[in-house]
Amino acid sequence: MGRMDADQLLAALDPDQRAVALASKGPVCVLAGAGTGKTRAITHRIAYAVATGMVSPRHVMALTFTVRAAGELRGRLRALGGGAEDVRATTFHAAALRQLSYFWPRAIGGRAPQLVESKLPLLREAARGLGLNLAAPALAEAVTEIEWAKVCQVHPDSYVFAATEAGRAPASGVECVRRLYGAYEALRRDRQLIDFESVLELTAAVLLAEPAVAREVHDQYRYFTVDEYQDVNPLQKLLLDAWLGGREELCVVGDPRQTIYTFTGATSQYLRSFAADYPGAALVRLVRDYRSTPQVVHVANRLMPGADDALVAQRKAGPEPRVTRYADEEAEAAGVAAAIVALIRTQGVKPSEIAVLLRINGHLERFERALADAKVSYVVRGAERFYDRPEVRQAVVLVRGAARAAGAGTDATGLPGELPAAVRHVLASAGLTPEPSPGPGRQRWESLAAIAGLADALAAARPEATLADFAAELAERAETGHAPVANAVTLATMHAAKGLEWDAVLVPSLIEGIMPIVHAKTAAAVEEERRLFYVAVTRARVHLALSWAPARAPGAEPTRQRSRFLASLQPTGTRS
């Protein structure tokens, strides 16, 4: 890329985003509000630094937290071209695992240990060894506690004190979790296994203990960008510091108002203290909101008031957000489904551009039933990545096998000639039927139908595409976390919705005890709940509907109070 191309990169940005790109030498802290184009700003900053010869793309590492976000970074950099496509955009875990696997034989000796994908099987075995008969929810909660302890560098012997100090109260008790944690770690070490936290810890340890390894890594990576910096935990910060090795070529991007993972050990303290940790750091605020209408932005600003970083809407005006009081939970679910039908039929909103966001996973089923009764297609989005689902893994293997057989000229499969028909034929063996069956198999069917939809899209774009092309497309999507978008309404928890956006967002069940959640006992915990609600609100581009119900069931006493967060909003379209 020449100088003209660098100028074109700047011309594509607003004044604040341009300030990010021009602050091309670190340290730099970007405080980016929801919908303000932070990914655009940081990818253009990297591309600008490459275009002006300030840094070689092979010396750049852009870090984020999810496979999907890393895939988006890679896609944006690839589109900008000029060498930016050669930048390493990855997650903390993927970068650490790659380095640990490479340096293990030299720094430690022998083959690298096997990675534990899930802690549950080992933890279940540890519980049996301790004579503990724990149900699945208790074991899942223990996994959360162990992961929190490990990222906060809390040893099993110190867990009870640290957990008590942090106000953590697992249902099985802190002493039970301490015993489980110790037994889990003993089993893991005996079998020479490493988990995701061990990967980060060991990579940092190798860098700190082996000067030759540190020199090699420091020579390779000299220019760092960290997205969603408010979500960094102490273990990730330890590793980042080891990668930096005292250097200051670091650009961090984040929004303290979107800190919603402190229960996992994440802390916005590193973002807030960046200027103190790096005296002379450039500070840029992104406040122009390109995502949401002024009406939605007004609600967001009322929810999280702040003079310095209030969002400034850039879109044209839209409908007023609504707060609706329903008589009971059943009426609320039916009302939400009716509102969705109206959005689709009278407003022309696509089902894929509508989401229902809930605080508690267990509340999803009520809205699933209401949407099914209203004949509205829906998908349930969880924390589990699409390509990690067992049925999706099976489907990918089946498609790959069918592609190999077709490539070898084997006709034993009897596949139809057209790609969409061939893919559906292959997926039929995994359980894909023309219509979904009611009941617990719904997600499996939706997953397989979404893969079939990808085949339709590929065939429409490239009529000559083969099964081998489709297998390659699936492999690339899996690597980048690029899940298919179904033509259906999304049901999700507020946590699972972070980083996503829709034209219409409906947020029901806004009552005390749910939002904020009942176990948010401290002021800090209540503020985290407020931030979570803020994240839900700022997912909406145009339509925003908030609701609550004072009674649990028809005819029951209306004893429940609306969420305290609704009191500060009062949009003009309020109905009571």
Side-chain angles (χ1 to χ4, degrees):
M1 260 193 180
R3 179 68 197 172
M4 186 60 191
D5 292 313
D7 289 342
Q8 288 172 341
L9 284 168
L10 295 181
L13 304 174
D14 73 22
D16 297 331
Q17 294 167 346
R18 196 174 304 130
V20 174
L22 288 171
S24 48
K25 296 290 287 180
V28 180
C29 179
V30 183
L31 296 176
T36 57
K38 68 179 177 64
T39 306
R40 182 181 186 82
I42 60 174
T43 51
H44 277 68
R45 178 183 185 270
I46 292 168
Y48 182 76
V50 170
T52 54
M54 188 168 298
V55 66
S56 164
R58 76 179 196 89
H59 293 320
V60 181
M61 184 185 286
L63 291 158
T64 190
F65 292 85
T66 67
V67 171
R68 185 187 64 79
E72 183 182 356
L73 279 178
R74 284 196 293 273
R76 298 275 194 102
L77 290 166
R78 188 164 54 240
L80 293 173
E85 67 273 17
D86 296 326
V87 165
R88 180 143 187 82
T90 184
T91 64
F92 275 89
H93 282 111
L97 184 59
R98 183 186 177 101
Q99 289 181 14
L100 188 64
S101 301
Y102 178 77
F103 288 114
W104 188 279
R106 186 198 318 176
I108 298 171
R111 293 178 58 185
Q114 183 184 342
L115 180 67
V116 178
E117 293 281 349
S118 168
K119 292 181 176 66
L120 272 174
L122 209 58
L123 197 60
R124 200 173 287 117
E125 188 177 340
R128 282 199 302 270
L130 293 170
L132 297 173
N133 184 19
L134 296 176
L139 285 172
E141 188 180 36
V143 168
T144 300
E145 289 301 299
I146 290 169
E147 290 176 350
W148 168 80
K150 295 192 76 167
V151 303
C152 293
Q153 298 284 274
V154 173
H155 188 271
D157 291 345
S158 307
Y159 169 77
V160 170
F161 176 78
T164 305
E165 284 286 296
R168 302 181 75 88
S172 55
V174 290
E175 178 58 29
C176 177
V177 171
R178 179 196 68 77
R179 294 176 65 203
L180 276 171
Y181 181 14
Y184 164 82
E185 286 289 87
L187 271 178
R188 184 183 63 76
R189 289 199 181 95
D190 286 348
R191 294 179 187 176
Q192 296 186 310
L193 302 172
I194 53 174
D195 55 25
F196 286 112
E197 294 77 31
S198 307
V199 168
L200 303 188
E201 190 173 36
L202 288 168
T203 304
V206 167
L207 287 168
L208 294 170
E210 299 288 337
V213 170
R215 278 194 300 272
E216 192 170 332
V217 171
H218 293 161
D219 183 60
Q220 174 72 54
Y221 296 112
R222 309 174 188 177
Y223 195 86
F224 290 83
T225 299
V226 184
D227 194 12
E228 303 285 6
Y229 199 59
Q230 79 280 349
D231 290 336
V232 166
N233 63 47
L235 186 51
Q236 288 162 337
K237 181 64 163 59
L238 176 72
L239 178 57
L240 179 61
D241 288 345
W243 277 332
L244 283 165
R247 297 166 299 170
E248 296 193 343
E249 278 303 335
L250 173 64
C251 173
V252 303
V253 190
D255 182 3
R257 291 166 298 185
Q258 296 189 65
T259 306
I260 60 172
Y261 293 112
T262 60
F263 67 94
T264 68
T267 173
S268 62
Q269 184 55 44
Y270 302 124
L271 179 62
R272 294 177 185 277
S273 66
F274 192 84
D277 295 338
Y278 293 91
L283 174 65
V284 184
R285 295 181 188 273
L286 301 183
V287 296
R288 290 177 172 86
D289 186 330
Y290 297 96
R291 176 187 299 158
S292 305
T293 63
Q295 287 75 11
V296 173
V297 168
H298 176 71
V299 171
N301 286 336
R302 289 288 296 274
L303 189 59
M304 299 288 287
D308 290 338
D309 48 10
L311 296 172
V312 180
Q314 304 297 301
R315 289 185 61 149
K316 65 180 183 181
E320 285 287 349
R322 303 192 70 82
V323 178
T324 304
R325 176 189 185 276
Y326 291 98
D328 54 70
E329 287 184 347
E330 293 304 315
E332 183 178 36
V336 165
I340 288 171
V341 170
L343 283 167
I344 296 168
R345 292 181 182 169
T346 65
Q347 301 286 330
V349 182
K350 295 178 182 177
S352 59
E353 287 295 346
I354 302 173
V356 180
L357 305 182
L358 291 144
R359 176 62 181 90
I360 296 176
N361 202 55
H363 287 180
L364 293 170
E365 186 181 354
R366 185 189 326 141
F367 294 90
E368 288 185 61
R369 289 198 309 270
L371 289 173
D373 290 345
K375 303 293 190 291
V376 174
S377 295
Y378 65 88
V379 291
V380 177
R381 184 184 183 93
E384 179 188 42
R385 294 202 299 262
F386 180 81
Y387 293 98
D388 285 346
R389 295 177 183 172
E391 67 272 17
V392 174
R393 287 183 171 183
Q394 181 191 11
V396 170
V397 169
L398 288 171
V399 169
R400 196 181 297 137
R404 277 199 301 267
T410 303
D411 293 326
T413 51
L415 291 174
E418 297 287 325
L419 178 63
V423 169
R424 281 174 171 78
H425 181 85
V426 171
L427 297 182
S429 62
L432 181 64
T433 55
E435 296 294 330
S437 301
R442 172 90 189 203
Q443 178 179 287
R444 181 181 182 84
W445 186 90
E446 294 282 6
S447 298
L448 297 175
I451 293 173
L454 288 178
D456 297 342
L458 182 61
R462 294 165 50 195
E464 76 287 355
T466 64
L467 262 178
D469 295 328
F470 184 61
E473 169 88 357
L474 281 179
E476 182 179 350
R477 281 174 166 267
E479 184 187 348
T480 59
H482 187 189
V485 177
N487 187 31
V489 172
T490 297
L491 287 174
T493 64
M494 296 177 184
H495 282 101
K498 189 165 181 292
L500 303 174
E501 57 188 80
W502 295 270
D503 282 346
V505 170
L506 299 94
V507 189
S509 302
L510 293 173
I511 58 168
E512 288 290 307
I514 300 299
M515 176 52 64
I517 199 74
V518 65
H519 52 250
K521 304 288 189 186
T522 64
V526 169
E527 283 309 298
E528 175 124 345
E529 293 290 294
R530 183 187 295 274
R531 293 193 296 270
L532 184 57
F533 185 25
Y534 174 84
V535 165
V537 164
T538 54
R539 300 311 93 197
R541 297 193 193 105
V542 181
H543 304 275
L544 176 64
L546 312 173
S547 62
W548 67 288
R552 186 177 297 277
E557 281 291 312
T559 56
R560 305 190 303 181
Q561 301 298 312
R562 70 174 183 170
S563 168
R564 69 192 74 176
F565 302 142
L566 290 176
S568 63
L569 303 185
Q570 294 300 329
T572 55
T574 298
R575 286 206 312 265
S576 294

